[in-house]
Amino acid sequence: MATPPPPQAGPYGPYAAQQPQQPGPAGPYAPPQSTGPYGSHAGHAPHLPPQPGPYGSWSAPQPSHGCRLCGAGPAAEATVRSHQGMIVLMRFLSLRGPFCRDCGLATYRRMSSDTLWQGWWGPLSLFITPVTLLLNLGPRAAFRRLAPPTGGHRPPLDPGKPLRRRPAALFFLVPALFLLLAIPTLILIGVLAGDDTPHPLVSGQCVRNEGDWSRQKLIVTDCASPEAQYRATRPSLAPGGTCAPGDFVALPAYSPEGTVLYCLTPLH
């Protein structure tokens, strides 16, 4: 029985039936060219759209833009502030949105109401409290422009009574009225305090003296009034050009020129 001849050993061993890959024009290490449905791409696998897995496609969770308190929308990004004055110390509070319309108005009214009766108790708080209340008007306007809330995971807050109908509003009215009345009161006091400036007299006028003769305070008075005490006359019009015996002399400040003396003739 004839024995088959053994395999011939080639340059690559006895199993060299497979011929080595011949180098191409780009060199023996050139990456293969691949062509797919989105065009050819050298050196990388073709870019394919993500394929759904056995449990469906997955995407990263998107941030929620609903109300932070109830989750409803639409919501507005706003910060509501509150201030507490404690004579020596003070505290600043704030709550940042987003808020829906109802939760935003409820938060604004609650924090502003607390500021109305807690924010005045300190020297600096008298100025900080009005600023805090004014800053809250911006968020209030933003909440009022929103549509009614929908789609929340819980019911929105009840806005409650408007701020002006709450008892805490009285704590705002008291200092506000005090400030409003203090300004005209100070002006009136200044006017009355400056009323000591002598007013020039006119011959024939009747006056009364509310001071002493060294510090006269002559007030023009109706001659028919029982309070009238003296009649003012110019020395040139008095008999002999001088004041009559028993007359008093007004200070020069009561004359238009500031140098002429007036005679004050007693009426009684």
Side-chain angles (χ1 to χ4, degrees):
M1 184 173 181
T3 301
Q8 300 295 326
Y12 299 96
Y15 301 100
Q18 298 178 356
Q19 299 296 327
Q21 184 177 0
Q22 298 296 326
Y29 302 103
Q33 301 289 333
S34 60
T35 303
Y38 298 96
S40 61
H41 184 71
H44 300 279
H47 179 71
L48 299 177
Q51 300 297 326
Y55 301 101
S57 59
W58 179 87
S59 59
Q62 300 297 323
S64 175
H65 297 286
C67 176
R68 63 170 292 176
L69 300 180
C70 68
E77 287 282 354
T79 300
V80 185
R81 294 174 171 82
S82 177
H83 176 72
Q84 295 179 357
M86 295 176 283
I87 302 178
V88 178
L89 303 177
M90 64 183 66
R91 185 164 68 163
F92 299 86
L93 306 174
S94 63
L95 190 60
R96 186 173 182 179
F99 297 104
C100 67
R101 185 193 65 180
D102 292 356
C103 291
L105 289 177
T107 303
Y108 156 76
R109 291 173 180 176
R110 175 178 57 83
M111 298 186 71
S112 296
S113 176
D114 292 343
T115 302
L116 282 175
W117 71 272
Q118 296 177 357
W120 304 101
W121 314 114
L124 294 179
S125 297
L126 291 175
F127 304 95
I128 298 175
T129 295
V131 174
T132 303
L133 295 173
L134 291 176
L135 290 176
N136 282 344
L137 294 181
R140 172 182 175 271
F143 300 147
R144 290 172 63 90
R145 288 194 295 264
L146 296 175
T150 57
H153 55 77
R154 52 161 290 177
L157 298 178
D158 182 11
K161 295 181 180 180
L163 194 60
R164 64 179 181 274
R165 295 173 54 189
R166 301 192 177 199
L170 296 177
F171 287 89
F172 171 74
L173 295 178
V174 171
L177 291 176
F178 175 77
L179 292 176
L180 291 177
L181 294 177
I183 296 176
T185 301
L186 293 176
I187 295 176
L188 180 60
I189 292 175
V191 171
L192 295 177
D195 196 40
D196 292 337
T197 303
H199 297 282
L201 300 177
V202 178
S203 295
Q205 283 182 331
C206 294
V207 298
R208 67 179 187 274
N209 184 17
E210 294 186 352
D212 52 31
W213 289 109
S214 61
R215 299 182 60 182
Q216 298 176 5
K217 187 176 181 181
L218 303 180
I219 306 299
V220 176
T221 310
D222 186 6
C223 292
S225 173
E227 296 182 354
Q229 298 173 332
Y230 310 97
R231 185 186 301 274
T233 57
R234 293 289 296 271
S236 59
L237 301 178
T242 59
C243 295
D247 286 358
F248 296 91
V249 179
L251 295 176
Y254 286 97
S255 65
E257 300 84 357
T259 57
V260 179
L261 299 178
Y262 270 88
C263 301
L264 299 178
T265 304
L267 296 178
H268 307 289

